[in-house]
Amino acid sequence: MQLEGIFSALLTPFSEDEAIDRQAVGALVDFQVGLGIDGVYVGGSSGEAMLQSLDERADYLSDVAAAGAGRLKLIAHIGTIATKDALSLSQHAAKSGYQAISAIPPFYYDFSRPEVMAHYRELADSSALPLIVYNFPARTIGFTLPELVELLSHPNIIGIKHTSSDMFQLERLRNAAPDAIVYNGYDEMCLAGFAMGAQGAIGTTYNFMGDVFVSLRAYAAAGRIVEARQLQAMANRVIQVLIKVGVMPGSKALLGILGIPSGPSRRPFRKVEEADLAALREAVAPVLAWRESGRAANGLTG
């Protein structure tokens, strides 16, 4: 259970020409440390990994590991369409100092369920790091409960990133595989995930308000559900605006508002307009007030 907790699905800073801004990585990682989160999930959807080359993804994994080593737990998302590419990124993650890998199911082509299951078994067999399966039915093939339990029977598959609103499946999975780590994936229902037994959470908005979710988790663990719901509601007001603005470019804009420039998202993501920035500043203001009040210290004060 050393990998449980709150992980930001780390964004990737870009310069205006859409190249990865490798000089900005240190400040971004420092900010994550300052939020008090447990670790970072690098190279996933929030990191715009599917808009990057394999070399870019490998370089970014290295940069984040160098900046976060000894300060944050490190999970590398190595998911690709081709199994051989995922295996290559897995080897790179192990050399870079990550504690685990994760992979979304191969997508775009209509792969059969046996093909997808074989893909994960090959990753698990070949990796020097433990594997976390990424269950994201809104974007890829969705797994049944028996399929997830079967995958978790592999000695090198330790958990599931459950990016799904199916809380029934999350609870049944925790019941069927009690030794596995289950991470809630949708930020807007983080509290629901913890209520159903998740031991961790991985989310985009944790990049800039991870401390809110650290405190939410502490309140939930202490049975202080009213306070936890208040934090979830505060976060959801920000998320509601992000959905209108665009989650990826809006999240980067929010980091910029907080003094951590991370540039634009890669096209075809839209650019953030001035009206968007105004809406984002208004939405995040309660989070900043909460943070400045000192209530973010450990989730059990105030």
Side-chain angles (χ1 to χ4, degrees):
M1 292 300 179
Q2 294 180 349
L3 286 173
E4 64 184 17
I6 300 294
F7 288 72
S8 65
L10 198 66
L11 301 173
T12 301
F14 293 122
S15 54
E16 289 302 319
D17 64 359
E18 298 187 13
I20 294 178
D21 186 354
R22 300 182 72 175
Q23 299 302 312
V25 174
L28 176 59
V29 171
D30 288 347
F31 188 68
Q32 305 307 298
V33 173
L35 290 173
I37 62 174
D38 297 284
V40 286
Y41 182 93
V42 187
S45 307
S46 301
E48 300 173 64
M50 302 311 165
L51 300 176
Q52 299 174 32
S53 69
L54 287 179
D55 286 343
E56 286 177 316
R57 291 179 66 177
D59 286 344
Y60 192 57
L61 288 175
S62 297
D63 290 347
V64 174
R71 301 193 295 163
L72 292 166
K73 301 171 188 177
L74 302 170
I75 301 174
H77 177 261
I78 52 89
T80 59
I81 300 177
T83 302
K84 71 178 185 66
D85 291 339
L87 290 170
S88 175
L89 286 173
S90 173
Q91 293 169 357
H92 185 81
K95 292 176 183 177
S96 299
Y98 282 78
Q99 283 84 57
I101 57 169
S102 180
I104 200 164
F107 52 91
Y108 185 76
Y109 297 102
D110 189 18
F111 296 110
S112 69
R113 304 189 87 83
E115 286 170 330
V116 172
M117 298 292 279
H119 170 83
Y120 277 109
R121 283 192 292 269
E122 185 167 356
L123 291 183
D125 287 342
S126 302
S127 176
L129 299 175
L131 171 63
I132 297 161
V133 173
Y134 191 169
N135 183 31
F136 195 2
R139 294 287 182 269
T140 64
I141 184 174
F143 293 100
T144 65
L145 179 62
E147 286 170 338
L148 292 173
V149 172
E150 178 184 338
L151 288 170
L152 287 167
S153 70
H154 191 291
N156 203 34
I157 298 180
I158 63 167
I160 305 291
K161 182 177 185 283
H162 184 76
T163 304
S164 169
S165 59
D166 188 346
M167 291 294 140
F168 174 67
Q169 187 184 60
L170 190 158
E171 186 277 330
R172 289 290 81 197
L173 182 61
R174 285 288 291 119
N175 183 268
D179 294 331
I181 305 173
V182 179
Y183 300 90
N184 183 78
Y186 279 135
D187 304 19
E188 61 270 28
M189 54 185 66
C190 184
L191 177 56
F194 285 135
M196 287 302 217
Q199 307 102 312
I202 299 169
T204 308
T205 64
Y206 308 169
N207 277 271
F208 51 85
M209 56 181 179
D211 50 348
V212 173
F213 290 92
V214 170
S215 293
L216 183 154
R217 180 175 180 238
Y219 278 132
R224 295 172 62 174
I225 301 303
V226 171
E227 292 97 329
R229 286 179 61 196
Q230 289 170 345
L231 292 183
Q232 185 70 76
M234 181 172 69
N236 283 359
R237 287 192 288 272
V238 178
I239 293 168
Q240 190 169 17
V241 174
L242 280 175
I243 291 170
K244 294 178 181 178
V245 169
V247 175
M248 296 307 125
S251 294
K252 287 188 161 185
L254 272 171
L255 273 178
I257 288 169
L258 299 178
I260 311 296
S262 56
S265 289
R266 276 189 174 170
R267 293 168 293 170
F269 281 120
R270 66 187 288 272
K271 287 188 176 294
V272 175
E273 307 292 341
E274 283 300 321
D276 302 324
L277 290 173
L280 289 167
R281 289 191 185 97
E282 181 180 358
V284 81
V287 175
L288 301 183
W290 170 84
R291 185 175 294 162
E292 291 169 5
S293 74
R295 285 177 286 173
N298 58 20
L300 296 175
T301 59

